């Protein structure tokens, strides 16, 4: 099996979010995919198999399989476009979140995902204790999303991961604020201790909530987002009602052959 490690939403190596991509001729067992993912020790490993005109795609974290991952989808499209289907400008993936499309536009890969407008919920003391700060408001869809007062509060946040993991709602925790840099519209960070990923450097799936929220707040359909992790990453976002689009570049870090038995 051939595996690629790609930095997604990155302009150079060691930026953005690294993902491993395994391109296979047929599916292997779930337990073996989980073992490979745990061995990689990256936030996500993507596994894909071509099926006619589309690709089946699944994502695993060290803590188990998840239903949606943006940066690993971008990484998969990058690998296919550069090593397997070099003439193709678009890719269709069948996933646990339905059909996902990725368009190649020069160096940018644009993902088209479902839109998830989060609902506002009540702020609790448990949430405040886990974050270490009091947010302006809190919302929930797949992930808990906390709106903070400014960009510096997002950048400087140092949450208690054990307390985040104990929060009853949400798979992950997103913190966000309006951007203070003219190049961006909003900033964020994303934490997933429940699936053994304390901080996800650049999280595409989190932006399925962030994009509709900020489109409504800012009155903008086209936005540029910046994730303020140590690695950092930029996403070119577009709100399309029931769908959202997010684009970014990717860089190959490494390739390897995996010797495993299915």
């Amino acid at each position: 099996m051939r595996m690629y490690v790609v930095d997604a939403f990155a302009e150079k190596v060691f930026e953005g979010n690294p993902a491993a991509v395994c391109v296979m001729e047929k599916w292997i067992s779930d337990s073996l995919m989980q073992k490979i993912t745990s061995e990689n020790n990256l936030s996500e490993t993507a596994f894909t198999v071509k099926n006619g005109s589309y690709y089946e795609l699944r994502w695993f974290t060290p803590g188990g399989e998840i239903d949606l991952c943006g940066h690993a989808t971008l990484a998969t499209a990058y690998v296919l476009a550069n090593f397997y289907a070099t003439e193709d400008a678009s890719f269709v993936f069948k996933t646990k979140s339905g059909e996902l499309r990725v368009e190649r536009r020069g160096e940018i890969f644009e993902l088209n995902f479902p839109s998830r407008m989060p609902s506002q919920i009540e702020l609790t003391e448990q949430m405040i204790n886990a974050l270490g700060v009091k947010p302006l408001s809190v919302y929930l869809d797949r992930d808990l999303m906390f709106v903070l007062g400014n960009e510096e509060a997002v950048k400087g946040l140092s949450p208690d991961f054990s307390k985040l993991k104990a929060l009853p709602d949400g798979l992950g925790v997103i913190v966000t604020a309006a951007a203070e840099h003219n190049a961006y519209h909003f900033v964020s960070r994303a934490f997933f201790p429940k699936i053994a990923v304390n901080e996800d450097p650049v999280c595409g799936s989190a932006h399925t909530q962030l994009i509709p929220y900020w489109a409504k707040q800012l009155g903008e359909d086209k936005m540029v987002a910046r994730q303020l992790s140590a690695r950092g990453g930029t996403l070119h976002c577009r709100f399309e009602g029931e769908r959202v689009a997010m684009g970014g570049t990717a860089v190959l870090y490494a390739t390897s052959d995996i010797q495993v038995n299915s």
Side-chain angles (χ1 to χ4, degrees):
M1 182 194 307
R2 191 71 170 165
M3 185 175 76
Y4 305 78
V5 179
V6 175
D7 290 338
F9 297 113
E11 295 180 357
K12 58 183 180 182
V13 174
F14 307 127
E15 287 185 347
N17 202 351
V21 178
C22 296
V23 181
M24 308 181 298
E25 293 184 359
K26 62 180 182 179
W27 287 106
I28 58 177
S29 68
D30 288 12
S31 62
L32 184 53
M33 287 189 283
Q34 188 62 63
K35 288 178 181 178
I36 292 169
T37 300
S38 298
E39 188 78 7
N40 290 337
N41 200 31
L42 297 170
S43 59
E44 269 85 16
T45 297
F47 298 87
T48 189
V49 173
K50 185 172 175 59
N51 187 345
S53 61
Y54 63 87
Y55 295 84
E56 296 173 355
L57 178 62
R58 296 173 69 182
W59 311 275
F60 285 75
T61 77
E65 186 174 9
I66 56 172
D67 67 339
L68 185 64
C69 179
H71 83 278
T73 303
L74 191 158
T76 303
Y78 173 89
V79 168
L80 295 174
N82 283 278
F83 299 100
Y84 292 88
T86 57
E87 299 300 317
D88 292 351
S90 63
F91 301 90
V92 178
F93 298 103
K94 296 294 179 69
T95 77
K96 289 183 178 294
S97 289
E99 182 177 291
L100 307 177
R101 292 181 175 270
V102 180
E103 301 288 336
R104 184 179 189 178
R105 307 183 190 280
E107 295 300 314
I108 291 180
F109 290 84
E110 185 179 84
L111 288 66
N112 188 282
F113 276 17
S115 177
R116 294 170 163 172
M117 175 62 85
S119 301
Q120 189 166 5
I121 63 172
E122 183 179 352
L123 179 65
T124 66
E125 287 297 322
Q126 185 182 11
M127 295 173 184
I128 296 171
N129 290 335
L131 287 177
V133 299
K134 185 175 181 179
L136 300 178
S137 54
V138 57
Y139 296 79
L140 177 65
D141 191 86
R142 185 194 73 173
D143 306 319
L144 279 172
M145 189 179 85
F146 296 97
V147 180
L148 304 187
N150 53 58
E151 182 176 319
E152 190 58 36
V154 174
K155 185 176 182 180
L157 189 73
S158 182
D160 185 316
F161 295 120
S162 63
K163 291 181 179 179
L164 289 185
K165 187 176 181 179
L167 292 175
D169 294 316
L171 175 67
V173 172
I174 308 164
V175 293
T176 187
E180 297 168 9
H181 192 289
N182 289 336
Y184 311 116
H185 291 83
F186 64 88
V187 298
S188 68
R189 290 171 67 190
F191 310 100
F192 293 87
K194 290 181 180 178
I195 53 173
V197 180
N198 280 345
E199 181 164 9
D200 202 18
V202 187
C203 184
S205 62
H207 284 75
T208 62
Q209 293 181 207
L210 288 162
I211 293 170
Y213 172 82
W214 283 111
K216 182 178 179 180
Q217 295 297 314
L218 301 175
E220 300 276 358
D221 289 338
K222 295 182 179 179
M223 298 167 288
V224 181
R226 181 72 180 176
Q227 197 149 336
L228 297 179
S229 63
R231 294 174 65 99
T234 300
L235 302 90
H236 300 270
C237 306
R238 190 170 67 253
F239 178 60
E240 299 179 342
E242 294 184 356
R243 308 287 293 183
V244 294
M246 59 194 88
T249 54
V251 183
L252 180 68
Y253 171 66
T255 63
S256 62
D257 290 316
I258 305 177
Q259 305 300 325
V260 295
N261 296 316
S262 58

